[in-house]
Amino acid sequence: MRKITADIVFPVVSEPIEKGVVVVNDKGEVLAIENRDAHDPASLEVHRGVIVPGFINTHCHLELSHMKGRVDTGTGLLPFLQKVVRFRDIPMEEILDAIEKADLEMYENGIVAVGDISNKLDTRSQKDKSAIRYYTFVEMFDFMQEENAQKTFDMYKEVYDGQAGINGNRKSCVPHAPYTVSSRLFRLINEANREDGITISIHNQETEHEDDLFLHKAGGFVDFYESFGFPLSHFKATGKTSIHYALQHMDPGCRTLFVHNTMTGPEDIRAAQAWSDKVYWATCANANLYIENRMPNYQYFIDEGARMTIGTDSLTSNWQLSILEEMKTISHLQSYVPFETLLRWATLNGAEALGFEAELGSIEVGKKPGLNLLNLDEALKLSRETTVKRLV
């Protein structure tokens, strides 16, 4: 048993506790949350700073970890995607080594659970042995070619079947993005996700070209598809932003995690939250800056009471895999977002989005959330010097 204390403890579900003590057993389960005066000082592990729950990374592409530094920054999403898709001939041992190192990096950065996009089985062995809990989203796309939907689904269903569900890990079949999934493939994905408590992840409104496609059949995606031999001659503009196409074809009974949302506006948020009460929004601030040199307007989401979460995206589109670094970027560039709000995005909201809230996301008796120490004082001001240390 350990009795861990710091200047402030943030349970997330309740008010911060000055000089709080978190009592955990050898398995990391929280036995009690108390004040220092209830304990013999000699029995305490005393730290300077604040104790918070382990972080939840709701969006990552672990299998792309070998691409770190290989794709230019600031190009925009379409050139970025072209570079990633055409990058080939990486030795498997290099891929697997990068996956292992990235998993360790996330663990050391205080991340306890990850929502991970997979198109292959490259990450399975690492996930099976990792100390991190994974929700694997097996991502499917048929470039909106209805005739390829069944073949595409069958190919990725093999990847889904090969993903293990041990050690508390979970999995589901998911669509890549509105602009890459036909209505038929959406139906096949919905039919595959009949289990209760499923989370569906989908990339959403990451670039202005996405909305231009659905509003006007204009923008860069028309030429993008032509370049890959997938003409959009059959496609008709809907006159609405891309998220409406996704809402039309997804199951509102599943938890839905919209990812990136760089171009998402208040009307889009309201439409999604009217469609389902199980909607979450993942932001990957550093990846948005890496690719498009822009970030979402978080005030829109705050004003609408949206449940935000935080992701890192992959090392293809980020300099590191750290939820703290994402929080620091948001705090620096949109400083109206309070620390307590960012913390909830980084912990409990993420755990709920992945269906892991029974054990993770908040410091409560009976949970095993992990404990992180941030070197903050009572001002709770995130800065370049803010670090995270994993305590449990």
Side-chain angles (χ1 to χ4, degrees):
M1 184 173 67
R2 299 168 62 191
K3 300 178 180 181
I4 307 171
T5 182
D7 299 320
I8 308 174
V9 172
F10 278 87
V12 177
V13 291
S14 57
E15 291 299 312
I17 305 168
E18 290 190 17
K19 295 183 170 54
V21 177
V22 185
V23 183
V24 297
N25 64 18
D26 292 341
K27 295 181 180 180
E29 180 181 349
V30 177
L31 304 178
I33 308 164
E34 299 172 341
N35 291 302
R36 282 187 195 175
D37 56 13
H39 297 271
D40 176 359
S43 69
L44 300 176
E45 295 180 30
V46 182
H47 299 276
R48 295 294 305 274
V50 304
I51 290 175
V52 301
F55 294 135
I56 313 295
N57 180 358
T58 54
H59 185 72
C60 188
H61 296 253
L62 186 63
E63 68 188 17
L64 297 179
S65 299
H66 61 282
M67 294 284 288
K68 183 176 183 179
R70 286 176 158 148
V71 180
D72 294 332
T73 62
T75 63
L77 182 63
L78 295 180
F80 174 86
L81 290 176
Q82 288 173 325
K83 186 72 175 286
V84 173
V85 169
R86 289 173 171 155
F87 212 96
R88 295 287 187 271
D89 302 323
I90 303 296
M92 182 52 66
E93 58 269 23
E94 182 178 337
I95 292 173
L96 296 179
D97 181 63
I99 288 169
E100 182 176 8
K101 289 177 179 176
D103 175 79
L104 178 61
E105 177 184 343
M106 286 193 284
Y107 179 84
E108 291 177 342
N109 282 326
I111 293 171
V112 296
V114 177
D116 187 60
I117 302 293
S118 290
N119 303 117
K120 303 176 181 179
L121 284 168
D122 296 351
T123 59
R124 173 181 169 156
S125 60
Q126 186 61 38
K127 289 173 179 174
D128 285 350
K129 64 185 180 182
S130 176
I132 294 173
R133 183 176 296 187
Y134 280 91
Y135 196 124
T136 297
F137 300 116
V138 178
E139 185 182 73
M140 304 184 180
F141 49 90
D142 61 357
F143 297 104
M144 302 189 79
Q145 309 295 307
E146 295 269 352
E147 66 275 12
N148 294 334
Q150 187 66 58
K151 180 180 177 181
T152 297
F153 178 82
D154 292 342
M155 176 179 67
Y156 287 114
K157 184 60 164 56
E158 291 185 11
V159 178
Y160 172 85
D161 291 339
Q163 298 285 350
I166 64 173
N167 298 329
N169 293 341
R170 300 192 65 193
K171 59 184 178 179
S172 57
C173 300
V174 304
H176 166 254
Y179 58 85
T180 56
V181 179
S182 70
S183 58
R184 186 179 180 197
L185 183 54
F186 266 117
R187 288 195 298 272
L188 293 170
I189 291 170
N190 290 342
E191 290 167 5
N193 291 319
R194 295 304 186 191
E195 178 186 340
D196 290 339
I198 287 286
T199 298
I200 303 301
S201 169
I202 183 169
H203 294 78
N204 178 64
Q205 294 174 298
E206 192 173 355
T207 176
E208 60 190 5
H209 296 288
E210 184 176 333
D211 282 338
D212 284 345
L213 176 65
F214 285 90
L215 287 167
H216 313 294
K217 195 178 179 179
F221 273 116
V222 177
D223 291 337
F224 178 81
Y225 275 112
E226 289 280 357
S227 71
F228 283 101
F230 297 110
L232 293 178
S233 53
H234 63 288
F235 177 81
K236 292 182 173 59
T238 64
K240 296 181 179 181
T241 55
S242 65
I243 195 171
H244 290 272
Y245 175 78
L247 298 177
Q248 179 185 350
H249 291 95
M250 293 194 302
D251 181 356
C254 296
R255 282 189 305 268
T256 303
L257 182 63
F258 291 101
V259 178
H260 290 304
N261 315 301
T262 319
M263 306 302 300
T264 303
E267 292 183 4
D268 299 316
I269 300 168
R270 286 194 289 271
Q273 299 194 159
W275 169 77
S276 172
D277 62 356
K278 300 179 177 68
V279 168
Y280 293 82
W281 307 86
T283 183
C284 306
N286 284 319
N288 296 154
L289 293 171
Y290 191 109
I291 298 171
E292 290 258 330
N293 281 329
R294 69 175 84 189
M295 291 166 58
N297 185 330
Y298 297 113
Q299 192 65 57
Y300 294 157
F301 297 89
I302 292 171
D303 289 346
E304 298 300 332
R307 289 173 293 200
M308 297 292 292
T309 73
I310 298 179
T312 62
D313 215 333
S314 74
L315 287 173
T316 318
S317 59
N318 206 332
W319 298 270
Q320 67 279 309
L321 301 178
S322 167
I323 294 300
L324 175 60
E325 290 302 318
E326 301 297 318
M327 295 170 67
K328 288 160 68 172
T329 294
I330 297 169
S331 181
H332 177 63
L333 296 177
Q334 297 194 34
S335 59
Y336 56 84
V337 185
F339 171 79
E340 292 87 342
T341 298
L342 286 173
L343 181 61
R344 189 176 182 100
W345 295 1
T347 56
L348 187 57
N349 283 7
E352 290 176 352
L354 300 181
F356 291 155
E357 72 273 18
E359 291 193 11
L360 306 178
S362 59
I363 303 174
E364 297 181 74
V365 173
K367 285 192 174 187
K368 294 190 287 186
L371 299 178
N372 290 337
L373 178 71
L374 306 182
N375 61 334
L376 294 173
D377 59 23
E378 62 276 2
L380 302 176
K381 181 69 174 176
L382 293 169
S383 70
R384 290 181 180 178
E385 287 69 43
T386 306
T387 60
V388 58
K389 178 181 179 181
R390 188 181 187 122
L391 300 177
V392 175

